């Protein structure tokens, strides 16, 4: 049965995203419909009032509310205690019957200001997502290519890991690009190190993280070019992903500005 709260910690973003997806699917299975999703950051204006309202009231479009609060390491001691006090009745033997689930997410492994919050949530509802060890990354890459019917050599795996950031999200994006290229070219040979290096060096994948600097530089032509390439290579989910990624970067920029004015 789905729990009222989950705490997901650690730097491995890909596996955290998979866990969130699994929780959402479990809610849909138990309730017969997809939950209404709300996503907040501590830097959002008025986030507390909106979040608590989502958690305590039934939504207009779904019978269950799924609320995600990211960057919980940014919560102060007062905010953390308030949230911990709210969660205690939900975690009691006879819990308060709200039709909602809260997922707390942080790239950190320990909440310094939110110690009371971390101790309030039971260990069985807390999951730590560490970066993969090198031997596990090699096995993951090899298995991922194998599941798509393509062989990658040890040299190819090593080269890919050297050129991609250490998390499954980035690895999966790069692997999917290579797999698609191999399938379109109808190649039967294994993917080796030279092929990986050649492909990665000549393929510049445009995304929200290359679009954002162009926007900040007020480069209209460059921004439009990047945007056109993103939509040309994307799918039906591209607009939502692009919006979320850009919003994330603007929020980080805002939080940096606020911290700067506080010093």
């Amino acid at each position: 049965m789905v729990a009222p709260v989950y705490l997901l910690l650690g730097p491995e973003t890909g596996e955290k995203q998979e866990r969130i997806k699994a929780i959402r699917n479990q809610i849909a299975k138990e309730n017969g419909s997809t939950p209404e999703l709300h996503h907040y950051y501590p830097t959002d204006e008025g986030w507390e009032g909106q979040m608590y309202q989502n958690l305590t009231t039934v939504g207009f479009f779904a019978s269950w509310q799924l609320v995600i609060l990211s960057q919980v390491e940014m919560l102060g001691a007062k905010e953390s205690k308030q949230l911990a006090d709210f969660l205690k009745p939900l975690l009691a033997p006879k819990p308060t019957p709200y039709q909602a689930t809260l997922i707390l997410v942080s790239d950190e492994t320990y909440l310094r200001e939110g110690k009371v919050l971390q101790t309030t949530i039971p260990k069985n509802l807390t999951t730590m997502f560490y970066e993969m060890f090198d031997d596990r990354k090699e096995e993951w890459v090899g298995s991922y290519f194998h599941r798509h019917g393509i062989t990658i050599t040890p040299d190819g795996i090593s080269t890919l890991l050297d050129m991609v950031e250490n998390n499954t999200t980035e690895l999966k994006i790069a692997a999917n690009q290579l797999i698609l290229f191999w399938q379109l070219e109808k190649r039967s040979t294994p993917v080796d190190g030279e092929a990986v290096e050649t492909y990665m060096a000549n393929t510049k994948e445009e995304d929200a993280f290359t679009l954002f600097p162009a926007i900040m530089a007020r480069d209209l032509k460059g921004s439009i070019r990047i945007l056109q390439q993103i939509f040309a290579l994307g799918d039906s989910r591209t607009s939502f992903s692009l919006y979320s990624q850009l919003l994330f970067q603007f929020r980080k920029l805002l939080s940096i500005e606020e911290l700067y004015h506080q010093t």
Side-chain angles (χ1 to χ4, degrees), residues 207-208 210-220 222-224 226-227 242 246 249-250:
D207 57 19
T210 59
L211 176 61
F212 186 74
I215 294 174
M216 292 296 97
R218 299 183 179 182
D219 180 2
L220 179 59
S223 299
I224 293 174
I226 294 171
L227 192 60
L242 183 64
L246 284 174
Q249 291 177 94
F250 276 112

Side-chain angles (χ1 to χ4, degrees), residues 13-43:
T13 58
E15 292 187 357
K16 275 191 289 189
Q17 290 172 358
E18 291 298 321
R19 180 66 177 129
I20 292 172
K21 187 186 299 183
I23 293 170
R24 190 178 187 184
N25 290 340
Q26 184 181 357
I27 294 172
K29 182 178 179 181
E30 292 181 5
N31 292 275
S33 62
T34 302
E36 191 172 320
L37 180 63
H38 307 274
H39 197 169
Y40 299 105
Y41 293 80
T43 54

Side-chain angles (χ1 to χ4, degrees), residues 134 137-138 141 154-166 171 193 196-197 200:
D134 288 343
K137 286 187 290 182
E138 292 174 1
V141 172
D155 179 49
I157 294 175
S158 178
T159 304
L160 182 62
L161 293 175
D162 285 341
M163 301 183 72
V164 179
E165 291 187 26
N166 184 24
L171 283 173
V196 173
E197 188 171 355
M200 297 294 287

Side-chain angles (χ1 to χ4, degrees), residues 1-6 23-24 26-27 30-31 64 66 100-101:
M1 184 174 180
V2 68
V5 61
Y6 296 90
I23 293 170
R24 190 178 187 184
Q26 184 181 357
I27 294 172
E30 292 181 5
N31 292 275
W64 202 273
L66 177 59
T101 294

